[in-house]
Each structure stands twice: as C-alpha cells, then as structure tokens.
C-alpha cells in the first residue's frame, strides 16, 4: 500500500546533531526526534543556496519575529546590518515574504527609508529587501506616501556613485510608474529627464539599463497629450545621441536586457507617428492643401505660372491637374482625396514633403523621370509614397505596444533625429529603382511593392549599424539578386508531386512524425528556463521546468539566476504527474492572459503563452522565451496527452525531413524522370532456359 500523499521521505539536519532520513508530515515529525519545544515556531528549509522554506505554515516563524525585533529594538548597527542582509536574502521566498508583510514589515522598511538615517550597505539591503518583497505582488503600490517617493527619487542623484543603491532606486521608480497611475504623476514631478541622462554617460551597463527602463516607463504611461512633449524634451537633452555614443557604440556587447529596453524605446518613439498615421486629410483645410501645393512648386518651379488675368483660371486648373498627374496622384483634380485612407493618413504626406525639402534633387529627378515616360511605364510617386508609408508602418508595427520578450532593436534608427523620414527617403528611391529594373507597368504595382518589401526585410535582418549601411545593403539586393535568391530557395524546397513520390511520402510520414515526437519529448526532458514576468519585467527571476526521463512527471521550481546547463531534478521543488494533466491551452485561453493590463494583452506575449490545466482548478502558466521554445513545449505536451502536434515548427520539420528522406532514397535516380504510371508488365519469355536450378 503506497504511503499517504502528504508523507514524504527526506533528509533533515539540525545544528549540532546528525542528519536523519525520515518520513515526515511537514514539521511535526521534528518533535519526537529532537524534542523541540514550541515546534510550531519552526519550519523546514532547503539546504541548497536558495534557503527557501518548504512548509506553508509560516504564521509563527520565529525568524521573522527575530528580524523585526532586531530592526525595531536593537541599538547595535552590526546586528541591524546582519538582520537586513538576511531579510534581503529570504525575501525572495514567497512564504517568508507573506509572513513578513502580514506583520507589517513593509511599513517598517518604508519608515526606515523615510527617516533618512541609513546609508551604505544598510540602505542597500533595505532597498533590496523592499524590491524583493514587492515583486511578489502581495502589496499594492498605491499605499506609499509622497515622502517615500521623494526619498527614493533623491537617491538617484544623491547616491550616483553607489551602484547598488542606485540600481534599487531606479528599479523602485520604474515599478511605481508601471503599476500606478497616481504614482506615475508623483514620480514624474520628482524625477526629470535631466537627472537621468548623466547615468547613461557612465560605463556600468546595468545602471544604463535601469535608467532607460525608467525613461521607457515614463514614456509608456504618459498621457497622450504629454507624450509628444516628453519626446521633445528627450530630443533637447540629446538622448538619442547619448545612447548611440555611450551604449550602442560602446566597446562592449549589449546584453539581452539592454537590447530589450532599446527595442522598447524604439517602439515607443515610432508610436509617436500613430496620431498622424490615423489622421485623415481634410480636403477643405487650406493649410493641408498648401502642403500639396508645395510639393508641386518644388517639382515644377521652373515652369512659368499663368497670369491672373481674366480667363486664366481654367488654364490654371488645367495646369494643376496635369502636374498632379505627373506627381503620381490617383485623384488628379483633388489630390487631397488620396490621403483620406488610414493608415497611412497624413503621415504619407508628411514623408513626401520631408523628401521634397531635404532630398530635393532626388525628389525632382524621380518626378521628372517618371513624367517623361510613357503613361503605362511611369512609377506614380504619389501612389507609391502612400503605399510605401503604409508598408513601413506595418514593418515597424507603428501603433502596437512593445512586446515583453522582444529584443529586436535596430541601431540605425538611433543615428538620426528623423530616422523614420530618412528611412522612407531611402526606400522610396529603392522603389523607383526596382520599378525600372522590373520594367513595370501600372498593372505590376502590387508585384513591385512585394519585391520592395522583400528587399527591405532582407536588409533589416542584417541589422545595419547606420542608414548609409542600410542603403548599401539595398544596393546589393537588386531585382536580379532577389530573383536569384528566390530561385535558390525554390530549388532547396523542391517538392515532387508525382503520384509515386506522394505515395512514398505517405508511407514514411509516420516514421518522421515519430522522430519529431521523440525529439520534442527529449527537449522536455532537458528542460527550459522560463522568465517570471509581471509588470516589472527586469527582475532576473527565473523558474525551470523539465520532464522526467520516464515521461511520467513534470518537475519545476524557482531559480536564483539563469542556469548555464541542465538543472537536476532533485533541485526542483515541485512536481506535477503527467496523468493529472487535463488540458493544454494557449494564447487568450490561458488564465494568466485573461488578467487586465496593457502589457499582458500584447500580441507577441499572447503568441508565446500556454498553460497546463490540472485537477479542478490547478494551473501551471508559461510564457516561452521565444517562438521555437513555445512550439517545442506545446508539441511535447500534446504528444504526452496523445494529441496531434500542430505547431508551425512541426510542419516545417516534417517538410524538411520528408524532403531529405525522399532525396536520399532517390539518390540513384538523379536526372531520371519518374513516370506518373507504373511501367507495363512485359510479355512472358518464349523459354525459361535462363533459369538456374540450384539443386
């Protein structure tokens, strides 16, 4: 008969006594062995480096009482320092944190900060403990006073040379801004961009990362009417050039967290374009119509204007209509109607005017070149600019919230104050060049746009360090080169469609699927490190999950840092029998994705989220580090449950492995055409003299 579920066999060690292997029911088994008095004040603790408590019965932890007693009553600074050091360490344990918070420990820490009497290591450990306790999400951020906020904000300047205090202070400010609208307003009053900029000019990448994170948080939570004002302040303080010089071009590698914060800043900066992108042009607005007049003036300034004498009005309208046609607008009579579609709205007209003013020679050349071609071969500048602006907004995801997991920033966008406009100027010249290379007509417009998008995407994947380098990459991606790349990819993905090949595919497909299934399960056995995500992403908290070698149990538990290799099963505190799993859900169906909050609803985070449902209400929630790991885990879990593996990764692996296997089996038939029908059966021979009787 198996032992009860709450009885476990563990090795227990007591100071000054020999360790014992015991069957225990939480703490009570300690009593008869060592005769502990007041045993309800003791708890089992892991002997590894985490020092986390095992039992949930921590209501009377004497250690929590001891720490509070020392902090409140002790006059010894050394004793207080040791107590704060232990508090900073044990606060990572949620059970310890819950008890400390229940005893009003957070209020004690805030009072210590507000008093302003602690400095150096004592203040550092106080702030560290505060950050760890608040990361558990037990206490609301709205409960803190203005005095506390002022004190934390003052540390950003006062302790600029103390890395530890500065890190914790910046982390607290970021969390305040992200978690409370009221606190955002108070923090915005206490901390200025000018106070944060100097920390970017140092050499410590961690401090730079925390600083950009605070700027991003202020940017993200700013009201719409304040966001552009903040962007102007950032421009005045030369934030972009400082980041380019001291972060991107510094003589050191950019870590993942810094890359993420740069990506967030890039997205938030481009999102300032959303208002213009979604604004329709008012055909009756004279100021907006004047922009179109300016485009015409710059392109055709050399042509004479008709006099304003009587009878010249018709000539003027006729000339304007002719010129607007040369500029490539769809509506020749009233081009304002071309900008009533959103997106791209007025953003397209802004880009056209920027190009005409700042790259005037290129603008005039493109317009005059196309106006001198036959109608069917001209590349319409107006229409092209509108569609190109829309495409660039889609590529850069203008208007979407930044992903919680993406690190995809582009250094070239930090090299110019008007990077989006310059990006457009390069791409509109590329579009005109590709149009000529394709010898396109108006019917080929969509084909040209597809080729241009492919050229831009391929150039962006190389992560050019400057706009000039991006332009150089595009020069090497001519239409001829794109055709060569496409042809090469088609040859590599060649798919034989004859009936014998299809039958062979059908025969070997089960073997390939079984191979993929085993690979997925092997990856689950190796395990994966997942980041714990909440409103304050950057916290370096991780948890690990892996499948047992017999595929019966999922082992999981918290980690102090990202592991360098596999994590042993015995170091993971929790486990879930595979037999108890009821279902695997993904995306919006996940319990942790149904919570409110802008960051939680981000599209890319939704695409990486999955949950294991077990028992009546149990759940294990995941956010995969990337799309590959998401596919591996959802495939592996579905395989464990006897369901089909339906991920994109499985489809790609299946296609690749099937293609390789078929090519290997047909290796001797290279350059031989395979018939669709089997060959006819030959007639019987006239004699069988060729048969040899071995007997």
């Amino acid at each position: 008969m198996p032992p009860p579920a709450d009885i476990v066999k563990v090795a227990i060690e007591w100071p000054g006594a020999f360790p014992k292997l015991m069957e225990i029911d939480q703490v009570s088994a300690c009593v008869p062995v060592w005769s502990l008095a007041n045993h309800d004040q003791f708890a089992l603790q892991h002997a590894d480096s985490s020092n986390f408590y095992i039992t949930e019965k921590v209501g009377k932890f004497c250690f929590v009482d001891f720490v509070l007693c020392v902090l409140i009553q002790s006059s010894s600074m050394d004793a207080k320092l040791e107590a704060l050091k232990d508090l900073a360490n044990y606060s990572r344990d949620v059970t310890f944190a819950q008890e400390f918070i229940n005893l009003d420990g957070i209020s004690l820490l805030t009072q210590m900060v507000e008093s302003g009497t602690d400095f150096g290591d004592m203040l550092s450990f106080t702030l560290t403990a505060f950050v760890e306790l608040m990361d558990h999400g037990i206490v609301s951020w709205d409960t803190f006073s203005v005095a506390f906020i002022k004190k934390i904000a003052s540390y950003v300047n006062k302790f600029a040379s103390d890395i530890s205090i500065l890190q914790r202070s910046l982390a607290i400010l970021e969390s305040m801004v992200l978690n409370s609208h009221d606190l955002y307003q108070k923090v915005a009053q206490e901390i200025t961009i000018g106070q944060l900029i100097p920390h970017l000019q140092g050499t410590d990448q961690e401090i730079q990362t925390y600083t950009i994170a605070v700027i991003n948080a202020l940017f993200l939570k700013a009201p719409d009417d304040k966001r552009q004002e903040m962007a102007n302040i950032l421009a005045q303080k030369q934030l972009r050039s400082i980041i380019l010089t001291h972060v991107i071009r510094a003589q050191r590698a950019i870590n993942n967290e810094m890359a993420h914060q740069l990506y967030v800043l890039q997205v938030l900066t481009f999102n300032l374009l959303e208002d213009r992108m979604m604004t329709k042009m008012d055909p009756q607005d004279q100021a907006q119509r004047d922009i179109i007049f300016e485009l015409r003036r710059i392109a055709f300034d050399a042509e004479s204007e008709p006099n304003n004498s009587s009878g010249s009005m018709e000539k003027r309208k006729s000339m304007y209509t002719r010129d607007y046609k040369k500029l490539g607008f769809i509506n020749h009579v009233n081009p304002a109607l071309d900008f009533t579609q959103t997106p791209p709205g007025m953003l397209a007209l802004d880009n056209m005017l920027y190009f005409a003013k700042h790259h005037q020679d290129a603008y005039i050349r493109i317009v005059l070149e196309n106006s001198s071609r036959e109608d069917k071969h001209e590349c319409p500048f107006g229409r092209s600019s509108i569609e190109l602006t829309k495409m660039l907004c889609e590529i850069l995801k203008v208007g979407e919230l930044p992903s919680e997991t993406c690190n995809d920033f582009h250094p070239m966008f930090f090299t110019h104050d008007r990077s989006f406009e310059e990006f457009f100027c390069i791409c509109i010249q590329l579009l005109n060049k590709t149009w000529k290379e394709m010898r396109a007509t108006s019917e080929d417009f969509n084909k040209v746009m597809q080729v241009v998008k492919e050229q831009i995407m391929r150039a962006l994947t190389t992560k050019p360090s400057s706009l000039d380098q991006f332009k150089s990459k595009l020069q090497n991606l001519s239409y001829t080169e794109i055709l060569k790349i496409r042809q090469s990819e088609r040859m590599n993905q060649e798919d034989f469609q004859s009936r014998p090949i299809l039958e062979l595919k059908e025969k070997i497909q089960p073997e390939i699927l079984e191979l993929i299934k085993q690979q997925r399960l092997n990856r689950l056995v190796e395990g994966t490190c997942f980041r714990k995500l909440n409103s304050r992403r950057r916290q370096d908290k991780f948890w690990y999950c892996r499948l047992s070698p017999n595929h019966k149990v999922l082992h999981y538990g918290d980690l102090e840092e990202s592991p360098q290799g596999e994590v042993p099963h015995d170091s993971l505190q929790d486990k879930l029998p595979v037999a108890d799993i009821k279902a695997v859900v993904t995306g919006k169906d996940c319990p942790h994705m149904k919570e409110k909050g802008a960051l939680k609803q981000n599209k890319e985070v939704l695409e990486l989220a999955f949950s294991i449902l077990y028992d009546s209400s149990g759940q294990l929630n995941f956010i995969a580090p990337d799309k590959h790991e998401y596919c591996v885990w959802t495939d592996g879990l579905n395989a464990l449950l006897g369901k089909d593996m339906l991920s994109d990764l499985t489809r790609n692996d299946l296609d690749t492995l099937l293609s390789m296997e078929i090519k290997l089996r047909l290796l001797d038939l290279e350059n031989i055409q395979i018939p669709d029908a089997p060959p006819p059966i030959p007639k019987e021979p006239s004699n069988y003299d060729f048969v040899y009787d071995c007997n």
Side-chain angles (χ1 to χ4, degrees):
M1 179 177 176
D6 55 349
I7 300 297
V8 293
K9 186 175 288 187
V10 295
I12 300 179
E13 183 178 10
W14 178 261
F18 289 107
K20 295 180 180 293
L21 185 65
M22 302 167 51
E23 287 186 351
I24 65 165
D25 180 357
Q26 293 193 336
V27 186
S28 57
C30 299
V31 179
V33 180
W34 287 298
S35 300
L36 298 177
N38 301 323
H39 62 83
D40 59 347
Q41 295 184 359
F42 292 85
L44 293 178
Q45 184 186 56
H46 281 285
D48 60 14
S49 58
S50 70
N51 292 327
F52 286 177
Y53 288 102
I54 299 172
T55 178
E56 295 295 331
K57 297 180 180 179
V58 293
K60 297 181 180 178
F61 279 174
C62 59
F63 183 66
V64 176
D65 295 332
F66 168 74
V67 169
L68 287 169
C69 182
V70 171
L71 295 179
I72 295 172
Q73 299 180 4
S74 177
S75 59
S76 169
M77 299 303 291
D78 290 339
K80 281 191 174 182
L81 181 62
E82 285 302 313
L84 285 169
K85 186 176 181 180
D86 288 336
L87 178 61
N89 182 38
Y90 291 119
S91 292
R92 297 194 304 271
D93 178 18
V94 64
T95 54
F96 177 91
Q98 182 70 66
E99 176 63 15
F100 186 82
I101 291 169
N102 288 343
L103 296 176
D104 209 22
I106 286 285
S107 297
L108 175 62
L109 293 181
T110 56
Q111 290 170 15
M112 292 172 64
V113 171
E114 290 174 10
S115 68
T117 57
D118 294 333
F119 301 97
D121 289 343
M122 190 168 292
L123 179 58
S124 175
F125 287 129
T126 301
L127 296 178
T128 301
F130 179 84
V131 170
E132 296 292 348
L133 290 166
M134 292 303 296
D135 273 347
H136 294 297
I138 300 170
V139 179
S140 170
W141 283 92
D142 288 312
T143 59
F144 300 107
S145 65
V146 175
F148 179 74
I149 298 170
K150 287 179 178 290
K151 187 62 69 174
I152 295 296
S154 71
Y155 293 158
V156 173
N157 293 322
K158 190 175 181 180
F159 294 101
S161 60
D162 192 319
I163 301 300
S164 178
I165 294 176
L166 183 57
Q167 276 186 355
R168 307 304 185 273
S169 300
L170 290 169
I172 293 170
L173 290 175
E174 181 199 2
S175 294
M176 286 179 173
V177 172
L178 291 176
N179 287 281
S180 170
H181 177 70
D182 290 339
L183 288 185
Y184 156 75
Q185 295 177 322
K186 294 172 183 176
V187 171
Q189 292 172 358
E190 295 299 327
I191 199 80
T192 65
I193 300 300
Q195 291 172 321
L196 294 172
I197 291 293
H199 299 309
L200 292 173
Q201 297 172 315
T203 57
D204 189 290
Q205 189 170 115
E206 287 296 315
I207 294 298
Q208 292 175 325
T209 303
Y210 279 84
T211 302
I212 297 178
V214 173
I215 294 173
N216 286 338
L218 291 168
F219 214 151
L220 183 65
K221 293 298 181 179
D224 293 340
D225 58 333
K226 295 289 185 182
R227 203 164 290 168
Q228 186 60 56
E229 180 182 333
M230 183 176 176
N232 295 336
I233 294 173
L234 294 178
Q236 292 172 6
K237 299 294 183 180
Q238 298 183 326
L239 175 69
R240 179 198 57 76
S241 60
I242 290 172
I243 290 176
L244 182 66
T245 303
H246 296 279
V247 178
I248 296 176
R249 292 181 177 173
Q251 299 301 313
R252 60 174 180 269
I254 294 177
N255 60 35
N256 288 337
E257 192 51 50
M258 174 60 84
H260 172 75
Q261 295 300 337
L262 291 173
Y263 153 79
V264 172
L265 182 59
Q266 172 186 294
V267 171
L268 294 176
T269 302
F270 284 142
N271 280 357
L272 294 171
L273 304 170
E274 183 181 12
D275 182 56
R276 294 293 284 175
M277 181 182 76
M278 300 307 294
T279 300
K280 295 181 180 181
M281 183 172 184
D282 181 2
Q284 306 304 319
D285 188 318
Q286 187 58 42
Q288 295 179 1
R289 291 170 62 87
D290 286 344
I291 299 176
I292 298 177
F293 292 152
E294 182 68 6
L295 289 174
R296 178 197 165 277
R297 186 197 65 77
I298 294 173
F300 306 112
D301 185 55
E303 299 191 12
S304 60
E305 293 279 345
N307 295 325
N308 287 327
S309 58
S310 60
S312 66
M313 186 61 68
E314 291 300 323
K315 290 183 180 180
R316 180 182 293 273
K317 288 182 178 180
S318 175
M319 185 183 68
Y320 280 9
T321 300
R322 182 197 65 197
D323 290 347
Y324 290 147
K325 183 178 179 181
K326 289 180 180 180
L327 282 170
F329 291 113
I330 296 175
N331 295 278
H332 306 152
V333 177
N334 187 3
L337 297 175
D338 286 16
F339 301 96
T340 56
Q341 179 187 0
T342 57
M346 288 295 292
L347 184 60
L349 188 58
D350 295 342
N351 284 339
M352 294 168 69
L353 183 63
Y354 181 91
F355 181 50
K357 286 189 170 182
H358 294 83
H359 300 270
Q360 194 171 58
D361 291 343
Y363 167 70
I364 294 173
R365 186 185 72 251
I366 288 176
V367 172
L368 295 183
E369 268 184 10
N370 287 289
S371 62
S372 63
R373 293 180 191 166
E374 298 179 25
D375 284 351
K376 65 176 183 178
H377 286 290
E378 66 177 2
C379 176
F381 174 74
R383 182 184 176 191
S384 299
S385 298
I386 292 169
E387 291 300 319
L388 179 63
T389 300
K390 183 179 179 180
M391 178 198 296
L392 298 183
C393 289
E394 291 173 354
I395 291 173
L396 299 177
K397 300 181 179 179
V398 175
E400 294 186 18
L401 285 170
S403 165
E404 275 292 299
T405 57
C406 185
N407 302 331
D408 188 24
F409 84 97
H410 293 277
M412 72 178 192
F413 291 131
F414 290 85
T415 62
H416 201 285
D417 289 328
R418 304 289 294 275
S419 59
F420 183 81
E421 290 86 347
E422 289 293 326
F423 186 41
F424 168 84
C425 293
I426 293 171
C427 293
I428 192 65
Q429 295 178 73
L430 168 72
L431 192 155
N432 188 65
K433 171 175 171 286
T434 302
W435 184 282
K436 290 188 289 185
E437 291 173 349
M438 293 178 67
R439 298 178 182 176
T441 64
S442 55
E443 289 81 9
D444 301 320
F445 186 86
N446 291 333
K447 293 181 181 178
V448 175
M449 296 303 295
Q450 290 173 3
V451 173
V452 169
K453 183 174 184 178
E454 185 173 346
Q455 291 170 314
I456 295 171
M457 294 299 291
R458 289 185 183 276
L460 286 177
T461 56
T462 64
K463 293 294 181 70
S465 59
S466 66
L467 290 165
D468 287 338
Q469 194 177 90
F470 173 69
K471 191 173 183 178
S472 177
K473 297 284 184 184
L474 291 176
Q475 291 292 331
N476 297 327
L477 285 170
S478 64
Y479 176 59
T480 303
E481 185 63 25
I482 290 294
L483 288 179
K484 290 179 181 178
I485 293 172
R486 286 179 174 180
Q487 184 178 3
S488 174
E489 290 177 348
R490 277 197 299 268
M491 291 178 64
N492 292 335
Q493 298 172 0
E494 186 176 0
D495 186 18
F496 301 104
Q497 296 298 325
S498 62
R499 189 165 60 84
I501 298 299
L502 293 176
E503 290 177 357
L504 180 58
K505 275 188 175 183
E506 189 176 343
K507 181 179 178 180
I508 64 178
Q509 182 166 315
E511 302 174 20
I512 302 298
L513 284 172
E514 182 62 27
L515 180 65
I516 295 173
K517 174 183 174 181
Q518 291 304 319
Q519 188 272 340
R520 300 292 192 265
L521 294 176
N522 289 341
R523 280 289 291 106
L524 263 62
V525 171
E526 292 176 12
T528 300
C529 180
F530 298 92
R531 183 186 290 273
K532 282 190 171 182
L533 293 181
N534 59 21
S535 56
R536 189 172 71 85
R537 175 189 186 273
R538 185 191 13 74
Q539 55 186 316
D540 295 328
K541 286 184 176 291
F542 304 91
W543 70 286
Y544 200 89
C545 187
R546 63 179 299 181
L547 181 66
S548 62
N550 63 2
H551 301 173
K552 299 291 186 183
V553 179
L554 283 172
H555 297 266
Y556 61 96
D558 293 336
L559 299 176
E560 288 190 37
E561 57 186 4
S562 181
Q564 299 301 315
E566 291 185 23
V567 176
H569 293 96
D570 52 9
S571 66
L572 301 175
Q573 304 96 338
D574 303 297
K575 61 182 180 179
L576 171 64
V578 172
D580 291 348
I581 298 177
K582 303 300 182 185
V584 176
V585 295
T586 60
K588 292 182 179 179
D589 295 328
C590 297
H592 58 314
M593 290 294 106
K594 294 178 181 178
E595 302 172 11
K596 293 184 178 180
L599 295 177
K600 292 289 185 183
Q601 298 301 324
N602 182 273
K603 179 181 176 183
E604 293 190 29
V605 174
L606 284 173
E607 291 176 350
L608 298 176
F610 63 97
S611 298
I612 296 174
L613 307 182
Y614 59 93
D615 295 337
S616 58
S617 59
Q619 60 194 43
L620 195 57
N621 298 320
F622 300 76
I623 295 180
D626 51 50
K627 191 66 177 178
H628 182 272
E629 286 297 319
Y630 169 85
C631 292
V632 166
W633 273 85
T634 53
D635 282 344
L637 292 171
N638 281 325
L640 285 174
L641 299 179
K643 298 181 179 179
D644 293 335
M645 300 179 292
L646 303 175
S647 73
D648 294 338
L649 182 62
T650 292
R651 285 195 293 271
N652 292 336
D653 287 351
L654 181 61
D655 290 342
T656 301
L657 293 173
L658 274 175
S659 177
M660 291 174 60
E661 183 66 19
I662 288 172
K663 288 179 180 179
L664 286 172
R665 295 195 182 195
L666 300 179
L667 201 57
D668 293 335
L669 299 179
E670 191 172 354
N671 298 323
I672 297 177
Q673 187 174 1
I674 301 173
D676 292 332
I681 299 175
K683 295 179 180 180
E684 290 190 15
S686 58
N687 62 69
Y688 292 90
D689 293 344
F690 57 86
V691 177
Y692 181 76
D693 188 356
C694 296
N695 296 325

